[in-house]
Coordinates of all heavy atoms in Angstrom, one line a residue:
C624 N 35.6 3.3 -56.3 CA 35.0 2.3 -57.2 C 33.8 1.6 -56.5 O 34.0 1.0 -55.4 CB 36.0 1.3 -57.7 SG 35.3 0.0 -58.6
P625 N 32.6 1.6 -57.1 CA 31.5 0.9 -56.5 C 31.5 -0.6 -56.6 O 30.7 -1.3 -56.0 CB 30.3 1.5 -57.3 CG 30.8 1.9 -58.6 CD 32.3 2.3 -58.4
W626 N 32.4 -1.1 -57.4 CA 32.5 -2.6 -57.5 C 33.5 -3.1 -56.4 O 33.2 -4.1 -55.7 CB 33.0 -3.0 -58.9 CG 31.9 -2.9 -59.9 CD1 30.9 -3.7 -60.2 CD2 31.7 -1.8 -60.9 NE1 30.1 -3.3 -61.2 CE2 30.6 -2.1 -61.7 CE3 32.5 -0.6 -61.2 CZ2 30.1 -1.3 -62.7 CZ3 32.0 0.2 -62.2 CH2 30.9 -0.1 -62.9
C627 N 34.7 -2.5 -56.4 CA 35.7 -3.1 -55.5 C 36.1 -2.2 -54.3 O 36.8 -2.7 -53.4 CB 37.0 -3.4 -56.3 SG 38.0 -1.9 -56.7
G628 N 35.6 -1.0 -54.3 CA 35.9 -0.1 -53.1 C 37.3 0.5 -53.2 O 37.7 1.2 -52.3
G629 N 38.0 0.3 -54.3 CA 39.3 0.9 -54.5 C 39.2 2.2 -55.2 O 38.1 2.8 -55.2
Q630 N 40.3 2.7 -55.7 CA 40.3 4.0 -56.4 C 39.9 3.7 -57.9 O 40.5 3.0 -58.6 CB 41.8 4.5 -56.5 CG 41.9 5.9 -55.9 CD 43.4 6.2 -55.9 OE1 44.3 5.4 -55.7 NE2 43.6 7.5 -56.2
L631 N 38.8 4.3 -58.3 CA 38.2 4.0 -59.6 C 39.1 4.2 -60.8 O 39.0 3.5 -61.7 CB 36.9 4.9 -59.8 CG 36.1 4.6 -61.0 CD1 35.6 3.2 -61.0 CD2 34.9 5.6 -61.1
C634 N 41.9 0.9 -60.2 CA 41.5 -0.5 -60.1 C 41.3 -1.0 -61.5 O 41.2 -0.2 -62.5 CB 40.3 -0.8 -59.2 SG 38.8 0.0 -59.8
S635 N 41.1 -2.3 -61.7 CA 40.9 -2.9 -63.0 C 39.4 -3.0 -63.4 O 39.1 -3.6 -64.4 CB 41.6 -4.3 -63.1 OG 41.0 -5.1 -62.1
C636 N 38.5 -2.6 -62.5 CA 37.1 -2.8 -62.7 C 36.6 -2.2 -64.1 O 35.7 -2.8 -64.7 CB 36.3 -2.2 -61.6 SG 36.6 -3.1 -60.0
R637 N 37.1 -1.1 -64.5 CA 36.6 -0.5 -65.7 C 36.9 -1.4 -66.9 O 36.1 -1.5 -67.8 CB 37.2 0.9 -65.9 CG 38.7 1.0 -66.1 CD 39.3 2.4 -65.9 NE 40.7 2.5 -66.2 CZ 41.6 2.2 -65.3 NH1 41.3 1.6 -64.2 NH2 42.9 2.3 -65.6
Ligands
LIG888 ZN1 37.2 -1.3 -58.8

Side-chain angles (χ1 to χ4, degrees):
C624 172
W626 287 282
C627 75
Q630 236 179 323
L631 185 60
C634 66
S635 62
C636 295
R637 63 195 185 285

